[in-house]
Structures are given as C-alpha cells and as structure tokens.
Amino acid sequence: MRLSTMFVPTRKEDPAEAEVVSHQLLVRGGFIRMLARGIYDFLPLGWRSVRKIEQIVREEMDRAGAQEVHLPAVQPAELWQESGRWTHYGAELLRFRDRKGAEFCFGPTHEEVVTDMIRGDVKSYKQLPLNVYQIQTKFRDETRPRFGLMRGREFIMKDAYSFDVDEEGALQSYDVMFEAYHRIFKRLGLEYRAVEADTGNIGGSRSHEFQVLAETGEDEIVSCTECGYAANVEKAEIRLEVAEAGEPSGSELATLRTPKARTIEEVSAYLKRPAQLIVKTLVYMADEKALIVLTRGDHQVNELKLKAYLNGELGRDVQELRMASDAEVEALTKAPVGFAGPVGVEGVEIIADLAVEPMVDFIVGANLKDKHHVNVNHGRDFEVSAFVDLRQAGAGDICGRCGGTLEAHRGIEVGHVFFLGDKYSKAMNANVLDENGEHRPMQMGCYGIGVTRILAAVIEQNHDDDGIIFPMAVAPYQVVICPLHLKNELVVSEAERIYNELQAAGVEVILDDRDLRAGNKFKDADLIGIPVRLTLGGRGVENGEAELKMRHQSENEMVPLSEVVDRIKALIEDARGER
Amino acid sequence: MRLSTMFVPTRKEDPAEAEVVSHQLLVRGGFIRMLARGIYDFLPLGWRSVRKIEQIVREEMDRAGAQEVHLPAVQPAELWQESGRWTHYGAELLRFRDRKGAEFCFGPTHEEVVTDMIRGDVKSYKQLPLNVYQIQTKFRDETRPRFGLMRGREFIMKDAYSFDVDEEGALQSYDVMFEAYHRIFKRLGLEYRAVEADTGNIGGSRSHEFQVLAETGEDEIVSCTECGYAANVEKAEIRLEVAEAGEPSGSELATLRTPKARTIEEVSAYLKRPAQLIVKTLVYMADEKALIVLTRGDHQVNELKLKAYLNGELGRDVQELRMASDAEVEALTKAPVGFAGPVGVEGVEIIADLAVEPMVDFIVGANLKDKHHVNVNHGRDFEVSAFVDLRQAGAGDICGRCGGTLEAHRGIEVGHVFFLGDKYSKAMNANVLDENGEHRPMQMGCYGIGVTRILAAVIEQNHDDDGIIFPMAVAPYQVVICPLHLKNELVVSEAERIYNELQAAGVEVILDDRDLRAGNKFKDADLIGIPVRLTLGGRGVENGEAELKMRHQSENEMVPLSEVVDRIKALIEDARGER
C-alpha cells in the first residue's frame, strides 16, 4: 500500500503513561491508541500484526485437529452459577443486566459456555474426543490494567477446550496441545520457556505456562541449569536445606536506631549485618483478617503455599489473601511501614517459614519509627504459632528434581495449558455414556493463548533504540520501499515497477511515496519495524542499483535493480522456512 | 475433514422457537445453538460459513481502499455523551459500570469511537480521505430478538467509516462503498436490491439499504416496474392522488353489530363494504401520551412521517413513538382491541391522513365490543385536528419519480450505507485544516454489513425441503464424499485417495466415514447443504465410476474414478469465476 494513503500516525514522543517499551513503541508506531484504561483501538498496522498472530495460531490449532467455533461474549449468569464461579470469580468479572433485568457477564473465559454447548449434543464416548477453539474478544476488569497490551482489560484470546471420556484420553489431548503450542511460539520467532505452573482458580491438576522471556515480564520463573526443569516460582519445587538450630547467645533484646532503613537491603547496609540474620515481617489480610508471616531476610513468601496451608492444614476457607495496605499495617503496628515486627503485636496470628525456625539473635522491625530490635529470639521475645514451608523459589536455590542450581528469569505469560479433569463437567452435569454404558462426566482440558499480548511480547523481545524489529512472521508488512528523490523520474518509475512486481508476487509491501527526506522515511521504517527496506536513491538508480537493508542487521548492500525482486522473494521464502 | 471426528450435531426436529426456515435449518444442521435470547454459539460449520462471508467482505473492503482496524467492544459513556446519543439511544444500548463505577456500554455501533480515534491523529486535509473498517462483535439489546441470526442481540457486523474534508469527497467515498457492496452481494450469490432508505436516528442525508429479497424479511420495500426506483416503504416517494371530497348523504350515525370483526378485512367482509369506505383507528403513544391516527382502511401509516410531523410541523420533541399496547387501547376506548374509533373519545388529539379528508359516510369502530358505527362524518361526529400526509407506500401505488406502478417485496436488510455529513464530527470537534487553512469538521460516512445476518439471508433464499443449498462461496465445505460400503476395501481406498487428492489441491472436503446407511449420509449432506456430493458405491467403484451430484440440481451423473478429481476442481473453479 502507498504510505501517503495509509493511516499510520507515528509520533515522536513516548506516551506519558507507557512504562514498558512495547507500549511506547506500539503507540509511537501508530499501532494502538488508548480508548479507556486497559482498552485499546487497533490501528491498521497493529491489526495486521494481530491477524498474523491469529493466523499462525489458527493453522496450528487446525493442524492439531481442533475445530474452530465462536462463542458469545455476553454470557448468562445461570451458567456461572452452575459452575459456582458467579460468586467466586470476584470483581474481575464484568457483570451487568439486560433490559429485562436478567444477569449477564462479559466473558473473561468460556469454560461454562463451552461445557454447556457440548453437553447439549454429546451423549456418548463415540462422539469423543473433541477439541474446539475460538479466537475471540474477552474482558477482565483488572484493578490495575497496565503495560499497554500486556495487561489490558479488553483483549483477544485463543481459547481451546478438549473433551474426553477418560483421564488417559484427556492427557493425550493435553499433550497434543502442548506440542501445538511449541510449534506456535517457534513460528512466531519468540524465545520462550514452557514452565510448570500452579493450577490456581481454574482448578485441575496439570498445567504449563508458556512464558516469553523478557525483563519486563510480570511473572517470575526459574529453570534448572542441569536438568532443564522449569516452573513458575509459585509452583517451583526446591530442595529445602534447613540449617541446624543455632544457640541463642543469651543477650537481651535491644533496640537500635535505623533511620530511614525500611527494606531488608537498607537495614542490612545500615547495621552491617547480612540479610540472612534479619527476619522479614509481612502483614497479610486473609479475608480481611490480619496475619503476620515471617521469612528469612533473603527469602520470598510464596502466597500459594501460604494459602494452601491456611485452607489445607488449618482447614479454613480463605477466598481472598492479599498483602495488607500501608494503612492497615500502620493501624496494626502503630508504626510507619518498613518497621513492622513480631514483638509486642497483640491479637494477630504469627506464622513463619521453616528457615526462620533455626535462627537465633536475629533482627526485626521494632514497630517504632526508625527503630529495629536486635538479639531477638522466637519463643522468648514472641511466639510463633507454626513453622511451615512458605518459601518461594529463586535464583541459586536447589532444584527439587535433580539437585542442580536454579536460575531466575522474568517472563510474559502468553500461553497456558490446563488439564481440568471433571471440575466443570461434574458441576454442570456434562456426562457421556462410556463403553460400559455407564454415565460419567467428561474429562476436560483448557488451553489459552493471549493473542494481543503476544504482540507486546514480540516487541519486548525484538526492538532497539530506533524502534521495533519484527520477525517476518508478525510484521504488518514485509517490505518497505523508500524512493528518495521523487522528482527523479527513473527513481519513481523503478520504485513503482518493483512495488507492482512484489505485490503481484504476493509480497506485503509499503511504498513510502511521501515527499519527505531520507532521514524521516528511515526513522518511520525503523520505528514500525518492517523487516526489509529497499532504498532507491538518484545516484544508485543511475548505476542500476538499490540499497537493501534488513531491519535486524546494521549492514546494507547494493543490489542490481534487475535482481531486487528475486532477492526479496528469496528473503521472505527463507523466513518462511524458519518454521 | 473426517465427519466421524467433526462436531456436526445434526437434529431431526425443528427447534420449537424457530419461526423461519433459516433458523430451523441452522439449528437442525448443527450450525448454531442458542445460549440465551438472541445470543448464539457458532458451531464449526456455522463458523466456517461466517468466516467465508467475512473474507469476501474483507477482500472487497481492501480492494476499495478501506483499511482494517479493530475497535473495542467496551466503550466509555463519555464519548456517547459528547455525541448526545447516551441519552437518545434508548434501551437497546447495553450499559454497565466497571469495578470503579465508571459508565460504559457494549458497542452497538462505533461512530463515536472511530471519530475519537481519527480526531486524535488527523489534523489536515492532506491526511484525507480515509476509510477504516472492522469486522467485529456488536450487541443491541433488542426487545424482541427473533428469527435466529436475523434479529439477534449479539451479532457480527462489518462497519466502515469514511472521513473527507468536504461533502464532494464524502459523496465519492460513499459511491466507492456503494459499488463495493454490489460486488460483495454478487459474490455471495444473493438476489438483492439496493433501496433508498430513511436516515433514521443516525442522522445524515443520503442512505441506501441492501435488501436480500425473501418472504420472511422484516422490511417492506417497493420498486418501480418502470424506472427501477427502489426504496424502503418508510422512505418511498409516492404520488398522492387525493380524491375530491364527497357529499355527505345526511344520514344519521348508526351503530351496527359486527361480532368478532376486528380487522379491516373482517369488518369489510362482515358489512360487505370495501376497505376504502372504512377508516382505520390507530392509537399511538408519543412519549407515553396517547394520540389517535386515522387512515383509509386500505392504507398503512408511515411512522417516520408521523414522527416527522409531530417534531417538525408541531415543533414537539417526541423521542419514543410506539403503537399503544392492548391494555392502553382498552383503557382509552373502554372497549376491546379491534373496536376503537374516534367518536366520543375525549382528551385525545386526533390526526388523520390526507386520504381521510374527502371521505364521507364512512365506517369506524364504535368503542363498544362487537360494534361499529356507520354513516360517520368528520366535522359532524368528531373533530380532526389536522389532515397530513402519513401514508406509507405499498404495492400498486404510483411511483413518485416516474408515475409508474410500484411493486412490493419483503427484504432482509444485510447492508446499509450512510452519508453522515458532520453530525458526529461537529458534535465531537473532529476538525481538520482545509486547503485554505480553515478549521472545518470532517465529512463522514458509515457503512454497515450484517455478517452473521447474511448467513441467515443466504439460507432464506437457498433451501428446499431437504435442507440448505449453499452457494459455493458460503458453503462451509465445498465437497462431501460418501463411501457407501465401508467393508469394501476398494470403495474405502478410492474414497481415501480422492479425499487426499482433493485436500492436496486445496479443496475443502468432508469424508463421511461414518458407518451409516446411504440414506442417512445423504440426509445429512442435503441438510447441511454441501454443494458437491460424490458417492462411491460397491458396484459403481467396481465399474470404475462414482456418482457426482450437485446439491442444487436433481440429476446426478456417473463419472470415471480417474476423472473425478479434475471434474470437481473444475466445478469449484467455475463457481469462483462467477464472481
């Protein structure tokens, strides 16, 4: 297409609200515009890239035997009441009433609707296995939408659902999807890891996340350098090596001034003691009831383990577990945030990670502004109601599988495969007759891919100071032709000839026919990340040459005008071969 | 694909709620399932056909120079407040609040959002013209969703919006879309009319509907047998020929028994007087205030003319004009519905169509059960506050353009093109600098196509007693292969060979590998409307032949097995040529 007629409103300035590079470049490159918090318009270039991602996903779903369907965005409350999620899903579920007062939601996911569809027509094991998928707009009313397309409220997802008569079949369906996901993310040109993941609110018992590695990722993952084991830190199995209990020195508890030292790093630096000798005090709200959790200063709390302990071993039914707000911490400890500690706090349960148990003569916040206690010992200075494993995996921890060492990465979750078992089929009476004539709930799996989020992830991994560096598979156009001297008839006629020949060959090509300087044309071409740039200058064309430059390489090359079209076709063919 | 693995749940019974054939066949053929009133799941076959329609629309939009974008379904109230439609749109607009209490709606159309997008980045006439389009899910909270996909609440629409610096440019953009629409509906194989239409609530001043002709259509259209003028009856211009005033006979008003005669036809038959001598009494509610409208018995009221009269000549600001409910009519007339009349009704304004003015000694309802008045005269027996043109065009009326005769059709509106002028750009300050450096609001057009409704319209026009007869362009698959004797190895191996060769040639083919009788396979193939059926029987295959049958023809033909693949490829190529 001719750039002069295209709606590609590039901008020079980063948008004020954009914290990550993909958000900045998507706005500056004219790919997206914000309509409301977490809700974006896709402009022509952005939408072309989304459709390319969709098409790769679709081809691999079809190849894996999944059948495309399209389910409604507006879903009746009744189905969510059947599954029990109408009450459990929380405020992320956008609910409303229609003109007759009936309750509905904007689907954030489709387990209920798809189970309802299948139960209506599938009655026998002979109709199974089935795997249906859709590529469709979802809405999750996030508290803090951010990072542009990485955590939006309205987004496009591919969601697939498998139905089998038994667990063995369901796990085979799972494996087929697992392999299809690998093909998809390879074709997209992404560096990613498939990691074991927690099964969270959706339920079920086997689950992998597909994480694109990027510093800006919101997820923390670890992988073992020895055995390749990879998992979300929430789920990662680590070998706990608890030290032997120390012997308290017998020194009295003392209170030291620690002005402005709030974090473990600041306290450690100020008191010149390692983080391993400090106990970190965290205040959580479990369904609005405060709870103090202690860990060693260099450790992190795994909230899933904490919740599992509360609801499992303690037999509670905590729905919402969250960090206390600053105000709640201050109300509890009567001190500014950063100085909380377990000594002298009344009426609050205190639990501690196993690694705290052997610690003696340690340091804690004093519940006084700019003060910490030292020579603290549990049992003497305060009571811990239970020591349990609450630790989250991190770099340097010992791999729970092989004893190797874990390394940490940040990841953007772009895909998720789940074995659901009979969670939904049982609740919703989605039964089939098996070979023995017995009714049994179908075994389900669900498989998501964040289509619009992938666009952000591609850019997080593929950019430089000048802009986006699209892999060929996701680029909105493959080639941009920049004729530099629009008054030179030969330049224009050669540019037009090449443009027409490439289009006729099915190449997606932009002709930058704007009357601008070379620098401005190159800036835009680099910003929007077109993989191949062909520049026609006056002198070059008179010598029978044009300049060919790949966006991901710094060198360029002069190519005879007669060979340009074939060279470009070959470049695109090569990229296709990289599948 | 192998039918044994496909999710194509055909049914033998029509669904109870389905009133029209497309709804019946879409459900029986396993194309759609109802999730809630006016909200449907698309199953694999249904979705394939929708995607084919989408693709034809997309190709023609691209060819016409429109650029594809994707705008959010969830739209902030602020934009609708800017345009004024937040208050005017009524209960069809599905409104809700997000978790922070901000007001949003589920977009039924995107004038506001697209105008907001364009005004943010387009500041000069040099960036114009622009035409952007999307294919996207909409929601209109219809009072009475019905007829399956023909009047759903959630549906897929293609909506395009053009932006020009002046009216001349905007009308050119309109014409380009008008031509593109003709190409689209021709490629879809539909019999349709482009008719002049009212500009309704969207505003603007030039408008055409694309109506698929079908008896079940909800729209009434007229076309002139002479000059080809075609219009929606609401908009159609007719030549009014008002009779000369008659001379009242002087007879007294009398009351006759007309048991159970409620409609004009019934009264006419019972009293043996033509409908032209009866005056029809209609009760409307104009913003909840009752209003009586009189027309000649054989005429219809055009509600748009009525509303235009109330808001124009009478200077009122009526937002909602509707027929009174039965209860409201009975409260006003103190009589059952069907016997309303203008005589003796108090406190209600009475207006009448021009054709009532010359009538004398006519018949009206008596406001008494099973009674009508005869020898009625306005001026003597009741007062009419105004005689105005309220008549709707119908068959036999005189063409307002050429004096020819109009014929009536029913139509399904599948497309609509609108010249909007500056209605939205002015309200929303979407201005550009023109060539003279003056700020001026852009001139807009909007262009809709009901993608999912087209699927219903295709079926309304293309079916027989056995099921759907898909045009090749919209068929979910082009070919179905029916091997009849699955124990005959030659039948199976030839079926597999042909299946593989057709797939390799890019033909969309179903292999009916189910172990069913010929009759059952044929029933399903006919029901789902696959254009080409190839049957392999034991004897035929041993003779080196297979039976080729087109769904739209009753004859079939034996074709040598060696020629089958080429013949089918040629058939599909021919259909493609029909574009």
Side-chain angles (χ1 to χ4, degrees), chain A residues 482-492 535-546 558 561:
Chain A
C482 298
L484 297 187
H485 307 98
L486 297 185
K487 283 177 187 150
N488 181 326
E489 282 179 27
L490 193 59
V491 165
V492 172
T535 307
L536 285 83
R539 197 175 304 170
V541 169
E542 275 152 35
N543 291 335
E545 292 179 327
M558 296 307 292
L561 286 169

Side-chain angles (χ1 to χ4, degrees), chain B residues 19 27 64 82 166 194 267 308 349 385 402 480 492 539 556 571:
Chain B
E19 300 169 66
V27 173
E82 265 193 78
D166 55 25
V267 176
E349 183 175 12
S385 65
C402 79
V480 55
V492 172
R539 198 175 304 170
N556 54 46
L571 283 169

Side-chain angles (χ1 to χ4, degrees), chain B residues 539-558:
Chain B
R539 198 175 304 170
V541 168
E542 273 152 37
N543 292 335
E545 291 180 328
E547 182 201 287
L548 189 66
K549 181 177 178 306
M550 302 297 286
R551 178 70 179 87
H552 70 279
Q553 292 171 344
S554 49
E555 323 81 73
N556 54 46
E557 182 190 355
M558 296 308 291

Side-chain angles (χ1 to χ4, degrees), chain A residues 79-80 83 85 109-116 424 428:
Chain A
L79 290 181
W80 288 72
S83 74
R85 288 206 289 185
T109 176
H110 279 69
E111 282 80 8
E112 284 81 359
V113 170
V114 77
T115 304
D116 175 64
Y424 294 94
M428 296 179 66

Side-chain angles (χ1 to χ4, degrees), chain A residues 33 42 73 99 121 141 154, chain B residues 33 70 73 99 121 141 154:
Chain A
R33 290 290 179 261
F42 286 89
R99 67 190 293 163
D121 284 292
D141 203 355
E154 185 172 323
Chain B
R33 291 289 179 262
H70 189 76
R99 67 189 294 162
D121 284 291
D141 203 356
E154 184 171 325

Side-chain angles (χ1 to χ4, degrees), chain A residues 249-477:
Chain A
S249 65
S251 309
E252 291 286 297
L253 179 145
T255 307
L256 301 183
R257 287 199 65 236
T258 52
K260 294 186 185 163
R262 292 162 184 268
T263 66
I264 296 293
E265 292 69 33
E266 288 163 351
V267 175
S268 167
Y270 188 84
L271 295 178
K272 301 193 170 52
R273 308 293 294 272
Q276 287 88 328
L277 297 186
I278 306 173
V279 165
K280 187 157 52 177
T281 303
L282 299 162
V283 183
Y284 281 91
M285 302 301 286
D287 287 345
E288 303 307 304
K289 186 157 178 279
L291 169 73
I292 285 179
V293 176
L294 306 178
T295 65
R296 209 170 76 181
D298 56 334
H299 291 165
Q300 306 295 326
V301 170
N302 180 329
E303 293 182 11
L304 294 175
K305 286 185 179 174
L306 175 57
K307 194 167 176 184
Y309 168 72
L310 296 171
N311 288 348
E313 211 156 325
L314 296 191
R316 295 183 192 163
D317 182 31
V318 173
Q319 294 297 329
E320 191 192 39
L321 179 73
R322 63 172 173 84
M323 296 289 290
S325 67
D326 287 2
E328 288 165 336
V329 171
E330 288 171 12
L332 183 76
T333 63
K334 315 283 189 285
V337 169
F339 303 98
V343 180
V345 177
E346 302 212 337
V348 185
E349 183 175 11
I350 299 176
I351 63 176
D353 178 55
L354 288 179
V356 174
E357 193 164 18
M359 291 175 73
V360 294
D361 300 329
F362 49 80
I363 301 163
V364 296
N367 296 327
L368 293 167
K369 181 166 192 280
D370 292 340
K371 299 254 166 74
H372 276 76
H373 292 316
V374 297
N375 299 331
V376 183
N377 286 288
H378 58 74
R380 181 189 74 178
D381 303 316
F382 65 93
E383 289 300 327
V384 171
S385 65
F387 292 96
V388 285
D389 173 21
L390 298 175
R391 223 177 105 197
Q392 178 151 301
D397 277 339
I398 301 167
C399 173
R401 295 279 169 91
C402 79
T405 307
L406 296 181
E407 58 182 20
H409 316 268
R410 297 198 73 87
I412 303 167
E413 186 192 335
V414 289
H416 205 154
V417 291
F418 253 105
F419 167 57
L420 292 169
D422 62 7
K423 179 181 163 78
Y424 294 94
S425 49
K426 207 166 176 180
M428 296 179 66
N429 273 315
N431 298 317
V432 287
L433 281 178
D434 67 13
E435 285 192 53
N436 305 316
E438 309 272 342
H439 287 280
R440 50 196 291 179
M442 287 179 262
Q443 296 287 317
M444 291 173 56
C446 71
Y447 315 93
I449 285 183
V451 171
T452 41
R453 183 183 282 180
I454 284 174
L455 179 55
V458 164
I459 296 171
E460 291 294 332
Q461 246 184 26
N462 299 279
H463 65 269
D464 62 14
D465 289 347
D466 297 323
I468 303 167
I469 307 173
F470 271 118
M472 194 69 84
V474 188
Y477 289 85

